[in-house]
Amino acid sequence: LTAQDRVLVATFDAASKDSALGDVVSVAVRTNLAQSRAVHLVSTSGLVAALERMQRPASSRVDLALARDIAAREGIKAVVAGSVASAGAGFIITARLISAASGDELAVYQESASSAADIIPAVDRLTRQLRGRIGESLKSVKNAPALAQVATSSLDALRSYAAGLRANDVEGDFPKAIPLFEDAIAKDSGFAAAYVQLSNTIGNANLNRPRQDSLIATAYRLRARLPEAERYSVEGAYFFRRNRPKSIAAYERAVALDSSDVESLNQLAILSERTRNHARAEQLTRRAIVVEPESGILFENLANTLANAGKLDAADSVYRVMKTQKILYPTDRAEALLLYVRGEVDSAEARARAGAKSSNPQLSRVMLALLRQLMQVRGRLRESDSLALEVRARNVARGARVDSLALPLRTAIDDAWLRGQSQRAVARIETAVRANPLTPKSPPGAMLDAAHNYALAGAPERGRALLARYDSAARDSVDRQSWQGQRAYTEAEILLAERRTDDAIRAYRRMDVDADGLPHWCAFCLPVSLGRAYDQANMADSAVANLERYLANTADSRINVDTWMLGPAHKRLGELYEARGDAKRAAEHYAAFVDLWKRADPELQPKVAEARTALERVRRKLAQ
């Protein structure tokens, strides 16, 4: 076997009273084999994808027979299987390395455990022999840390951890996985891998970002108990929001150790994407796909990277490849957003409405939230508000953390920016803040959002007071780093509302680069902000240039700004082009605005009528 050959670890048989021991020993074997650079293990996501292609349930027990079937179909070189059998008060653990093609046993090793407490050391001894047989140097095997060190010495903790992995990775049942990982940590507070998995699962469930950060911080403190490559991965995750250059360096060390480390390749790609290095993000993602050609998340990440780089046809082709190769992954939202950034808003809306009716609760919830944003983009604010309440109720029902300020603050933007009712917007913000007082323990984003919305509503003095409170409260280095761009943006919005336009422009430019010296992820935030600022300064050419740059951006995350800015940007560009005598471009933007808001709420229809009149006027000029 070579480092490029893939090996599949099957579920061990348990010929004992404890039927769950097979799963536990399998996880222990995988953990120890994963330390070896001499072989590449098939990931759980790759295994699940293979089962789906075989039209088998993802939760199928992968015994030796099924493992060999999967290996034959997927071109996997060998299978590791085995058993755990009771022997008096102890156990006998057997591991077999089997040729996937012929079924021949290439190696068989056996170890005894005098009791349940000796199972983990026995698996350690067993897998060291197996690693040597696979091709790892004896020196490397000898110097490798003990399994109890890189995982846990507690069989009960490992049992809960194994069950958590199955719930998260195989069943996709995140609420079930969370208490299992918590139980593993309760049984061994030094179980570093359990902290990592619990953080990942909470992230998968989109439940509690602050707790995720706390768990990764704990794993970082315990990183000496992790295998070397995994240690670098934890360092990368720890610095991801704290110091991106350090995060990049950590993941690069992990990839240098193991060029097939898909997780580190993917994280490096995400960091490249978030620093606007689309070419490197594409290259890294394609490298990861070579290792795991069945990973749906990698294909979607590739499509997203291509779309952000403006390669919309290439992004669309990725989804076609996924369908052709039956790579199953929930891409509904991403495909709908690809339609949206192409300008096919009607098609995107139809896709969102269909998805919102899905019997899959997660898909339905995600598409419902997207439909809500599309309704905001189209000026249908009443329907958007109704959908927002439904999304909120569903999140509360599933136990997700819900920001009580988010909905009223968002509605305040609609009041101030779209409905032109600034006093009502200020009153709405004040009512929301009284009901949900902002304290040093409040999420940093809530205080900054409220300050920003006060500025948009024409009350910059209240926004500045909140910004000062944020500066006093946000002492944590993670929060300060993570929210630096938002803080700079909020300050710039306050300056713009104070009519200090030159200062606002300088502040907007500062937000484009983070404290770590790398670009802020949002490539469209600066041009849309400068467009508004230059328009306020009556610098029409600069306003047009920046608003056009904003509209040309193809990142799907642009929809977050489009919800309140897309319609007004088209209308304002129509006016600016008409003022400088460019009837053709004026007509294009007036027409885009009218089409976008043709079914907007009644209180917004006067703006639509005004744009229609202007459109007719410039078209008459074009006809002359």
Side-chain angles (χ1 to χ4, degrees):
L1 294 172
T2 69
Q4 285 70 45
D5 291 327
R6 293 187 295 165
V7 174
L8 192 160
V9 178
T11 303
F12 277 44
D13 295 324
S16 69
K17 295 179 181 179
D18 188 350
S19 59
L21 266 182
D23 285 341
V24 177
V25 170
S26 299
V27 169
V29 169
R30 278 191 60 87
T31 301
N32 231 11
L33 287 180
Q35 294 189 67
S36 174
R37 301 181 205 172
V39 70
H40 173 56
L41 296 184
V42 177
S43 68
T44 304
S45 62
L47 188 58
V48 169
L51 287 167
E52 289 174 338
R53 283 193 289 275
M54 294 168 66
Q55 297 184 336
R56 299 283 294 266
S59 57
S60 299
R61 185 177 186 277
V62 183
D63 58 13
L64 176 57
L66 181 54
R68 281 198 60 203
D69 194 4
I70 294 170
R73 291 169 178 264
E74 302 291 323
I76 296 167
K77 193 75 170 285
V79 172
V80 173
S83 61
V84 187
S86 297
F91 302 88
I92 295 175
I93 306 171
T94 305
R96 296 178 174 83
L97 180 65
I98 299 167
S99 167
S102 66
D104 293 340
E105 289 187 346
L106 307 177
V108 180
Y109 297 102
Q110 194 171 82
E111 286 288 338
S112 60
S114 58
S115 66
D118 192 37
I119 286 178
I120 290 174
V123 171
D124 188 25
R125 296 191 299 271
L126 194 73
T127 48
R128 284 175 188 271
Q129 296 176 74
L130 195 56
R131 288 163 65 178
R133 177 64 171 172
I134 285 172
E136 186 175 353
S137 73
L138 296 180
K139 180 180 179 181
S140 174
V141 173
K142 181 181 177 181
N143 293 336
L147 176 59
Q149 178 184 340
V150 299
T152 176
S153 59
S154 166
L155 183 66
D156 285 343
L158 189 61
R159 188 190 306 276
S160 296
Y161 179 76
L165 286 177
R166 181 170 181 80
N168 182 80
D169 298 348
V170 178
E171 299 169 7
D173 190 340
F174 309 133
K176 178 181 176 182
I178 288 171
L180 290 166
F181 289 132
E182 288 172 333
D183 188 56
I185 290 168
K187 289 169 177 171
D188 180 1
S189 60
F191 197 167
Y195 288 97
V196 175
Q197 290 297 334
L198 178 56
S199 175
N200 291 342
T201 303
I202 289 172
N204 290 340
N206 194 25
L207 289 176
N208 190 330
R209 182 59 181 269
R211 192 180 181 206
Q212 273 187 274
D213 291 335
S214 174
L215 290 163
I216 286 296
T218 302
Y220 177 76
R221 290 196 297 272
L222 297 168
R223 66 192 184 280
R225 291 194 56 175
L226 293 166
E228 187 177 12
E230 193 172 341
R231 190 159 64 242
Y232 289 137
S233 292
V234 167
E235 288 179 7
Y238 176 75
F239 286 115
F240 197 92
R241 297 177 61 216
R242 293 167 170 84
N243 187 309
R244 289 178 297 171
K246 285 187 176 182
S247 182
I248 290 169
Y251 284 123
E252 285 178 338
R253 285 195 292 271
V255 171
L257 282 175
D258 180 3
S259 61
S260 63
D261 183 347
V262 169
E263 179 186 350
S264 295
L265 284 168
N266 186 43
Q267 291 301 104
L268 269 177
I270 291 170
L271 282 163
S272 298
E273 186 63 27
R274 291 191 178 187
T275 52
R276 306 186 201 170
N277 191 343
H278 304 307
R280 185 162 190 249
E282 179 184 347
Q283 177 194 47
L284 288 162
T285 307
R286 290 189 185 279
R287 279 179 60 186
I289 287 173
V290 169
V291 181
E292 286 194 5
E294 64 286 312
S295 172
I297 191 169
L298 292 178
F299 273 94
E300 181 168 343
N301 287 353
L302 175 60
N304 184 61
T305 293
L306 292 167
N308 287 348
K311 301 177 180 180
L312 300 184
D313 290 340
D316 192 51
S317 72
V318 170
Y319 294 122
R320 289 199 300 273
V321 167
M322 292 178 72
K323 291 179 175 65
T324 301
Q325 297 183 5
K326 297 182 180 178
I327 296 171
L328 303 180
Y329 194 75
T331 61
D332 300 76
R333 181 178 185 274
E335 289 184 272
L337 281 169
L338 186 58
L339 291 169
Y340 173 78
V341 297
R342 282 183 178 279
E344 299 174 31
V345 185
D346 288 342
S347 297
E349 180 184 334
R351 187 73 178 264
R353 288 192 184 279
K357 296 175 183 176
S358 170
S359 58
N360 181 319
Q362 182 175 351
L363 174 61
S364 174
R365 185 177 65 252
V366 167
M367 298 303 274
L368 196 69
L370 174 59
L371 181 60
R372 177 219 173 178
Q373 289 184 301
L374 290 169
M375 292 304 95
Q376 288 175 304
V377 168
R378 311 202 82 162
R380 290 155 65 178
L381 307 181
R382 296 178 185 178
E383 184 176 357
S384 171
D385 289 345
S386 176
L387 292 169
L389 290 172
E390 186 174 349
V391 171
R392 176 189 172 88
R394 293 194 190 187
N395 282 328
V396 169
R398 71 188 183 95
R401 186 174 178 273
V402 175
D403 184 353
S404 300
L405 279 171
L407 184 54
L409 289 182
R410 169 64 240 198
T411 307
I413 291 182
D414 294 340
D415 285 341
W417 188 252
L418 300 179
R419 295 186 176 107
Q421 298 174 344
S422 295
Q423 289 184 349
R424 188 165 84 172
V426 171
R428 192 185 295 277
I429 299 169
E430 289 179 336
T431 300
V433 170
R434 279 197 301 271
N436 305 276
L438 292 167
T439 70
K441 293 184 179 180
S442 299
M447 204 171 289
L448 291 174
D449 283 347
H452 163 259
N453 288 11
Y454 269 132
L456 271 184
E461 70 287 349
R462 301 182 194 190
R464 190 163 291 287
L466 270 181
L467 189 61
R469 285 176 58 190
Y470 166 80
D471 288 337
S472 177
R475 296 186 177 91
D476 181 81
S477 60
V478 181
D479 285 340
R480 293 189 73 86
Q481 172 64 25
S482 300
W483 293 96
Q484 177 176 317
Q486 182 72 9
R487 195 241 175 255
Y489 175 60
T490 302
E491 180 181 18
E493 287 291 304
I494 293 169
L495 290 166
L496 193 66
E498 292 171 338
R499 313 299 294 184
R500 295 166 58 186
T501 311
D502 290 343
D503 291 336
I505 290 170
R506 284 190 287 270
Y508 283 132
R509 292 193 183 281
R510 285 196 299 271
M511 80 181 183
D512 203 41
V513 178
D514 278 337
D516 58 18
L518 297 177
H520 188 265
W521 68 267
C522 182
F524 52 82
C525 292
L526 181 61
V528 71
S529 301
L530 289 179
R532 291 173 50 227
Y534 282 124
D535 192 24
Q536 180 171 289
N538 294 318
M539 299 173 67
D541 289 347
S542 294
V544 166
N546 278 282
L547 289 176
E548 290 284 19
R549 278 178 57 209
Y550 149 62
L551 293 178
N553 189 281
T554 54
D556 59 16
S557 54
R558 204 194 75 187
I559 193 172
N560 297 315
V561 172
D562 288 356
T563 54
W564 58 278
M565 190 62 198
L566 183 60
H570 276 303
K571 184 172 184 293
R572 186 58 183 145
L573 279 168
E575 294 164 350
L576 291 169
Y577 277 120
E578 184 181 9
R580 69 186 196 185
D582 190 339
K584 182 172 182 284
R585 298 302 303 277
E588 290 172 357
H589 284 287
Y590 281 137
F593 173 72
V594 169
D595 183 63
L596 195 66
W597 275 26
K598 59 191 173 189
R599 290 186 290 156
D601 290 347
E603 65 264 35
L604 300 182
Q605 284 301 324
K607 295 183 179 181
V608 180
E610 182 182 313
R612 280 199 178 98
T613 300
L615 178 59
E616 292 170 3
R617 183 170 60 244
V618 295
R619 281 177 172 171
R620 283 196 298 271
K621 288 183 179 180
L622 286 171
Q624 290 175 358

Short mmCIF file of all heavy atoms in Angstrom, two decimals, residues 390-413:
data_model
loop_
_atom_site.label_atom_id
_atom_site.label_comp_id
_atom_site.label_asym_id
_atom_site.label_seq_id
_atom_site.Cartn_x
_atom_site.Cartn_y
_atom_site.Cartn_z
N GLU A 390 -42.32 33.37 10.63
CA GLU A 390 -42.40 31.90 10.53
C GLU A 390 -41.01 31.28 10.70
O GLU A 390 -40.86 30.26 11.39
CB GLU A 390 -42.99 31.50 9.18
CG GLU A 390 -43.24 29.99 9.08
CD GLU A 390 -43.95 29.59 7.80
OE1 GLU A 390 -44.44 30.48 7.08
OE2 GLU A 390 -44.00 28.37 7.53
N VAL A 391 -39.99 31.87 10.08
CA VAL A 391 -38.62 31.35 10.22
C VAL A 391 -38.19 31.41 11.68
O VAL A 391 -37.61 30.45 12.22
CB VAL A 391 -37.64 32.15 9.35
CG1 VAL A 391 -36.20 31.77 9.67
CG2 VAL A 391 -37.92 31.93 7.87
N ARG A 392 -38.51 32.51 12.34
CA ARG A 392 -38.15 32.66 13.76
C ARG A 392 -38.82 31.59 14.60
O ARG A 392 -38.18 30.97 15.47
CB ARG A 392 -38.56 34.05 14.24
CG ARG A 392 -38.31 34.30 15.72
CD ARG A 392 -38.95 35.62 16.15
NE ARG A 392 -38.88 35.76 17.59
CZ ARG A 392 -37.86 36.28 18.25
NH1 ARG A 392 -36.80 36.72 17.58
NH2 ARG A 392 -37.86 36.37 19.56
N ALA A 393 -40.11 31.34 14.36
CA ALA A 393 -40.84 30.33 15.14
C ALA A 393 -40.23 28.95 14.95
O ALA A 393 -40.10 28.17 15.91
CB ALA A 393 -42.31 30.32 14.73
N ARG A 394 -39.82 28.65 13.74
CA ARG A 394 -39.20 27.34 13.48
C ARG A 394 -37.85 27.22 14.19
O ARG A 394 -37.49 26.15 14.70
CB ARG A 394 -39.02 27.13 11.97
CG ARG A 394 -40.33 26.99 11.22
CD ARG A 394 -40.06 26.45 9.83
NE ARG A 394 -41.24 26.52 8.97
CZ ARG A 394 -41.29 25.98 7.76
NH1 ARG A 394 -40.23 25.35 7.26
NH2 ARG A 394 -42.38 26.08 7.02
N ASN A 395 -37.09 28.30 14.21
CA ASN A 395 -35.79 28.26 14.89
C ASN A 395 -35.97 28.09 16.40
O ASN A 395 -35.21 27.36 17.04
CB ASN A 395 -34.99 29.52 14.59
CG ASN A 395 -34.35 29.48 13.22
OD1 ASN A 395 -33.98 28.41 12.74
ND2 ASN A 395 -34.22 30.62 12.57
N VAL A 396 -36.96 28.76 16.94
CA VAL A 396 -37.24 28.60 18.38
C VAL A 396 -37.64 27.16 18.67
O VAL A 396 -37.18 26.55 19.65
CB VAL A 396 -38.36 29.57 18.82
CG1 VAL A 396 -38.84 29.22 20.23
CG2 VAL A 396 -37.87 31.02 18.77
N ALA A 397 -38.45 26.58 17.81
CA ALA A 397 -38.93 25.21 18.01
C ALA A 397 -37.79 24.20 17.99
O ALA A 397 -37.83 23.19 18.70
CB ALA A 397 -39.97 24.86 16.95
N ARG A 398 -36.75 24.46 17.20
CA ARG A 398 -35.65 23.49 17.12
C ARG A 398 -34.54 23.79 18.12
O ARG A 398 -33.52 23.10 18.15
CB ARG A 398 -35.09 23.43 15.70
CG ARG A 398 -34.28 24.64 15.26
CD ARG A 398 -33.94 24.57 13.79
NE ARG A 398 -33.10 25.69 13.37
CZ ARG A 398 -31.77 25.65 13.29
NH1 ARG A 398 -31.13 24.53 13.58
NH2 ARG A 398 -31.08 26.69 12.90
N GLY A 399 -34.73 24.82 18.94
CA GLY A 399 -33.76 25.12 19.98
C GLY A 399 -32.59 25.97 19.54
O GLY A 399 -31.59 26.08 20.25
N ALA A 400 -32.70 26.58 18.36
CA ALA A 400 -31.62 27.43 17.88
C ALA A 400 -31.62 28.76 18.65
O ALA A 400 -32.66 29.24 19.11
CB ALA A 400 -31.79 27.70 16.39
N ARG A 401 -30.45 29.34 18.75
CA ARG A 401 -30.32 30.63 19.42
C ARG A 401 -30.93 31.71 18.53
O ARG A 401 -30.56 31.85 17.36
CB ARG A 401 -28.84 30.94 19.67
CG ARG A 401 -28.59 32.18 20.49
CD ARG A 401 -27.08 32.29 20.78
NE ARG A 401 -26.79 33.48 21.53
CZ ARG A 401 -26.55 34.67 20.97
NH1 ARG A 401 -26.59 34.78 19.67
NH2 ARG A 401 -26.28 35.71 21.71
N VAL A 402 -31.87 32.46 19.05
CA VAL A 402 -32.59 33.47 18.27
C VAL A 402 -32.29 34.86 18.83
O VAL A 402 -32.43 35.10 20.04
CB VAL A 402 -34.12 33.21 18.29
CG1 VAL A 402 -34.86 34.33 17.60
CG2 VAL A 402 -34.43 31.87 17.64
N ASP A 403 -31.86 35.75 17.98
CA ASP A 403 -31.58 37.13 18.37
C ASP A 403 -32.90 37.91 18.34
O ASP A 403 -33.46 38.16 17.27
CB ASP A 403 -30.57 37.74 17.40
CG ASP A 403 -30.15 39.15 17.80
OD1 ASP A 403 -30.75 39.70 18.74
OD2 ASP A 403 -29.23 39.70 17.16
N SER A 404 -33.37 38.30 19.52
CA SER A 404 -34.67 38.98 19.61
C SER A 404 -34.66 40.36 18.96
O SER A 404 -35.71 40.91 18.63
CB SER A 404 -35.09 39.11 21.08
OG SER A 404 -35.21 37.83 21.67
N LEU A 405 -33.47 40.92 18.77
CA LEU A 405 -33.38 42.25 18.17
C LEU A 405 -33.35 42.20 16.64
O LEU A 405 -33.63 43.20 15.98
CB LEU A 405 -32.12 42.96 18.66
CG LEU A 405 -32.18 43.64 20.03
CD1 LEU A 405 -30.79 44.09 20.44
CD2 LEU A 405 -33.13 44.83 19.99
N ALA A 406 -33.00 41.05 16.08
CA ALA A 406 -32.73 40.98 14.64
C ALA A 406 -33.93 41.42 13.80
O ALA A 406 -33.78 42.23 12.88
CB ALA A 406 -32.32 39.56 14.26
N LEU A 407 -35.11 40.91 14.11
CA LEU A 407 -36.28 41.23 13.28
C LEU A 407 -36.70 42.69 13.39
O LEU A 407 -36.88 43.36 12.35
CB LEU A 407 -37.44 40.29 13.64
CG LEU A 407 -38.70 40.44 12.80
CD1 LEU A 407 -38.38 40.31 11.31
CD2 LEU A 407 -39.72 39.37 13.20
N PRO A 408 -36.85 43.26 14.59
CA PRO A 408 -37.23 44.69 14.63
C PRO A 408 -36.16 45.60 14.04
O PRO A 408 -36.50 46.62 13.42
CB PRO A 408 -37.44 44.96 16.13
CG PRO A 408 -36.78 43.83 16.85
CD PRO A 408 -36.86 42.66 15.94
N LEU A 409 -34.88 45.26 14.20
CA LEU A 409 -33.84 46.10 13.62
C LEU A 409 -33.90 46.05 12.10
O LEU A 409 -33.71 47.06 11.42
CB LEU A 409 -32.46 45.66 14.11
CG LEU A 409 -32.12 45.95 15.58
CD1 LEU A 409 -30.71 45.50 15.91
CD2 LEU A 409 -32.28 47.44 15.90
N ARG A 410 -34.17 44.86 11.57
CA ARG A 410 -34.27 44.74 10.11
C ARG A 410 -35.47 45.52 9.60
O ARG A 410 -35.40 46.21 8.57
CB ARG A 410 -34.39 43.25 9.76
CG ARG A 410 -34.76 42.92 8.35
CD ARG A 410 -33.70 43.37 7.37
NE ARG A 410 -34.24 44.31 6.41
CZ ARG A 410 -33.67 44.60 5.25
NH1 ARG A 410 -32.55 44.03 4.92
NH2 ARG A 410 -34.21 45.47 4.44
N THR A 411 -36.59 45.45 10.31
CA THR A 411 -37.79 46.17 9.90
C THR A 411 -37.56 47.67 9.95
O THR A 411 -38.11 48.43 9.15
CB THR A 411 -38.97 45.76 10.78
OG1 THR A 411 -39.10 44.35 10.78
CG2 THR A 411 -40.28 46.36 10.26
N ALA A 412 -36.73 48.10 10.91
CA ALA A 412 -36.41 49.53 11.01
C ALA A 412 -35.69 50.02 9.76
O ALA A 412 -35.91 51.15 9.30
CB ALA A 412 -35.56 49.79 12.25
N ILE A 413 -34.80 49.18 9.17
CA ILE A 413 -34.14 49.56 7.92
C ILE A 413 -35.18 49.76 6.81
O ILE A 413 -35.12 50.71 6.04
CB ILE A 413 -33.11 48.49 7.50
CG1 ILE A 413 -31.93 48.46 8.46
CG2 ILE A 413 -32.61 48.75 6.08
CD1 ILE A 413 -30.86 47.46 8.08
#
